[in-house]
Amino acid sequence: MLEDNLTTDRPTFVTNLECSISGADDYAADEVHGLSREGRPLLVRYDLSGVKAAVSRDDLADRTHDFWRYRELLPVRHTRNIVSLGEAMTPLVRLNNLEREMGAGEIIVKDEGRLPTGSFKARGLAMAVSMAKELGITKAAMPTNGNAGAALAAYCSRAGIESYVFCPEDTPEVNVREIALQGAKVWRVNGLINDCGKIVGEGKEPMGWYDVSTLKEPYRIEGKKTMGLELAEQLGWDVPDVIFYPTGGGTGLISMWKAFAELEALDWIGAKRPRMVAVQATGCAPIVKAFEEGVEHAPLWDDAHTIASGIRVPVAVGDFLILRAVSESGGFAIAVTDEAIDQAHRDVARKDGFLLCPEGAATFAAYQQALMDGRVSRQDRVVLFNCGSGLKYPMPPAEQFLDRTKPIDYGALN
Ligand SMILES: *Cc1c(COP(=O)(O)O)cnc(C)c1O
């Protein structure tokens, strides 16, 4: 019998939190925090030698297959505060047909669409809401392009925490409805995600909200970190050559980079790192622009638009963390057009039977582009992140109709 991670108590090792820009490390664990005094994300620090003494990577084999198996590297102190909807380990799926057709290297999709609420936002929010419960929070709020709000609503309802969600008015209908159905109070706002963020920022004092905006509380990063832990474990404690990550606020990219550093400190992986590639859409590419200009901060992108709504993020509070991870890893930032995203969406579905979300399709389009311009090679083993279920998004129409009361010309069905 595998040990159940949701009921087995395990030791925890959080020591403090640290400002990601100044390095000030005097932020106490087990207290409510937002951004640092400099207005930048806080990072959770662990006693990694304590972790190393308490658990080996082989110990994990005896644990159930969900992301709570990495408990010693996560912040929740008390098992009773875990808020879970079944955070499965997500599969790695090869795109064999496209590899052959393109004469490409190994293309592996990490399918995050299998998570609760149909996107990898569940990783971050399972952790943020568990920590909110542990810290006694009763009301949470966030701006969202859809998936984060759905995950916040679901986990908060489960935890008995009230949730308030603000989304751009053109957020996909399915997202707004799932947020409402899962118990949040949700509003459409005539603006973009940063405008919604302003509403949360200004409302948090009078309303008593805990601000769960991307990177504005410290624990979504820790939840998303499990993507890196899981990926390394699934590859036999190795890392791929390149990771293509669809980058909005960049939580996943930042947190995988943190995961690999912690794993190396534990000697669970070596010094090799994947090249981290930040993928954006040409209609909203602040990180790509900053990368190309060689600067660490990315100013607000005007008139942001793309069909991949999850990466329509005009300004990112963790911009410098994304850009540092990309540069330190020898990676790059790349923008793809909506046409290329749409084509990739169709190609991967038709040729490999894999229904990506548009943001996942953006990573495939970026891989194709990078293979052509030589920034990745056919020898590279690449991982693409499909961050949400393709079923949550609009699809091209399919309108053929058969009248069963008339004779059917079967030959015409070919
Ligand atoms: C949120 C989201 C992203 C962007 O993730 P970040 O970690 O914020 O950069 C990409 N794709 C989908 C489907 C998302 O919901």
Side-chain angles (χ1 to χ4, degrees):
M1 263 283 277
L2 295 179
E3 275 181 33
D4 180 357
N5 304 321
L6 301 182
T7 53
T8 310
D9 287 318
R10 302 221 168 92
T12 61
F13 295 91
V14 176
T15 50
N16 63 300
L17 290 79
E18 186 179 299
C19 173
S20 56
I21 204 157
S22 73
D25 61 0
D26 58 332
Y27 297 85
D30 309 306
E31 289 176 9
V32 178
H33 293 289
L35 290 170
S36 72
R37 292 183 289 272
E38 285 73 20
R40 292 293 175 171
L42 286 171
L43 300 174
V44 180
R45 295 301 180 203
Y46 298 82
D47 165 17
L48 292 172
S49 50
V51 174
K52 195 171 173 179
V55 60
S56 74
R57 62 188 202 188
D58 296 334
D59 292 336
L60 301 182
D62 299 329
R63 301 181 177 182
T64 47
H65 294 170
D66 58 50
F67 85 1
W68 300 100
R69 66 203 270 102
Y70 307 111
R71 185 69 187 284
E72 287 87 346
L73 284 167
L74 299 175
V76 180
R77 300 278 195 202
H78 301 289
T79 306
R80 64 172 182 274
N81 292 325
I82 289 179
V83 185
S84 171
L85 287 163
E87 297 70 30
M89 293 178 84
T90 62
L92 299 177
V93 183
R94 290 269 299 267
L95 300 183
N96 305 91
N97 295 338
L98 281 156
E99 283 173 15
R100 254 195 316 277
E101 183 182 309
M102 296 163 66
E106 216 176 307
I107 312 175
I108 303 171
V109 179
K110 186 146 176 68
D111 188 13
E112 298 282 294
R114 315 287 183 101
L115 285 159
T117 71
S119 86
F120 67 4
K121 293 296 193 301
R123 292 185 189 267
L125 273 310
M127 199 62 59
V129 173
S130 296
M131 287 306 292
K133 182 176 172 193
E134 192 151 270
L135 296 168
I137 302 263
T138 58
K139 288 182 188 180
M142 70 154 55
T144 180
N145 281 325
N147 287 328
L152 180 73
Y155 284 97
C156 278
S157 291
R158 196 159 174 89
I161 293 173
E162 273 184 60
S163 57
Y164 296 77
V165 175
F166 302 86
C167 38
E169 61 186 328
D170 60 352
T171 298
E173 189 63 36
V174 61
N175 289 127
V176 184
R177 292 188 183 189
E178 66 178 326
I179 293 167
L181 186 60
Q182 289 170 154
K185 300 192 174 76
V186 57
W187 287 268
R188 296 169 183 279
V189 176
N190 50 351
L192 293 179
I193 188 165
N194 50 310
D195 302 305
C196 297
K198 222 167 278 168
I199 295 173
V200 172
E202 285 164 14
K204 70 184 177 201
E205 284 293 331
M207 296 297 290
W209 291 333
Y210 182 50
D211 183 350
V212 204
S213 306
T214 304
L215 301 180
K216 291 189 181 167
E217 59 73 54
Y219 301 110
R220 281 174 66 183
I221 291 187
E222 296 306 297
K224 280 265 191 98
K225 195 176 79 181
T226 59
M227 290 193 299
L229 305 176
E230 204 175 288
L231 185 59
E233 186 181 4
Q234 287 173 313
L235 295 177
W237 300 109
D238 193 6
V239 294
D241 297 313
V242 192
I243 290 178
F244 284 79
Y245 186 81
T247 305
T251 333
L253 197 152
I254 294 165
S255 63
M256 280 193 276
W257 196 242
K258 184 170 189 285
F260 299 141
E262 290 175 1
L263 288 175
E264 188 184 357
L266 295 176
D267 285 326
W268 290 13
I269 62 169
K272 180 186 167 184
R273 291 288 184 280
R275 298 164 66 207
M276 306 296 288
V277 178
V279 177
Q280 299 199 303
T282 49
C284 180
I287 298 295
V288 178
K289 182 161 183 279
F291 175 79
E292 284 168 357
E293 290 171 355
V295 297
E296 276 216 320
H297 292 288
L300 181 89
W301 184 274
D302 285 326
D303 186 30
H305 59 91
T306 166
I307 54 171
S309 49
I311 53 175
R312 192 179 63 175
V313 178
V315 62
V317 64
D319 49 6
F320 64 106
L321 294 172
I322 303 169
L323 288 156
R324 282 180 194 172
V326 166
S327 320
E328 283 169 24
S329 73
F332 52 94
I334 181 170
V336 290
T337 63
D338 276 6
E339 292 70 34
I341 294 173
D342 184 53
Q343 192 61 48
H345 195 211
R346 293 166 192 261
D347 286 347
V348 178
R350 203 166 307 150
K351 294 184 178 159
D352 263 303
F354 196 123
L355 186 61
L356 296 167
C357 64
E359 298 80 3
T363 66
F364 182 78
Y367 171 71
Q368 283 178 304
Q369 199 168 301
L371 192 62
M372 296 239 291
D373 68 22
R375 288 200 272 183
V376 297
S377 84
R378 300 184 193 287
Q379 279 69 51
D380 285 325
R381 177 192 232 188
V382 308
V383 169
L384 311 180
F385 270 86
N386 184 50
C387 6
S389 165
L391 290 170
K392 289 178 86 169
Y393 296 83
M395 285 173 242
E399 289 165 334
Q400 300 195 91
F401 179 76
L402 263 190
D403 182 351
R404 70 180 174 84
T405 65
K406 303 230 168 75
I408 294 174
D409 176 2
Y410 284 95
L413 303 185
N414 274 316

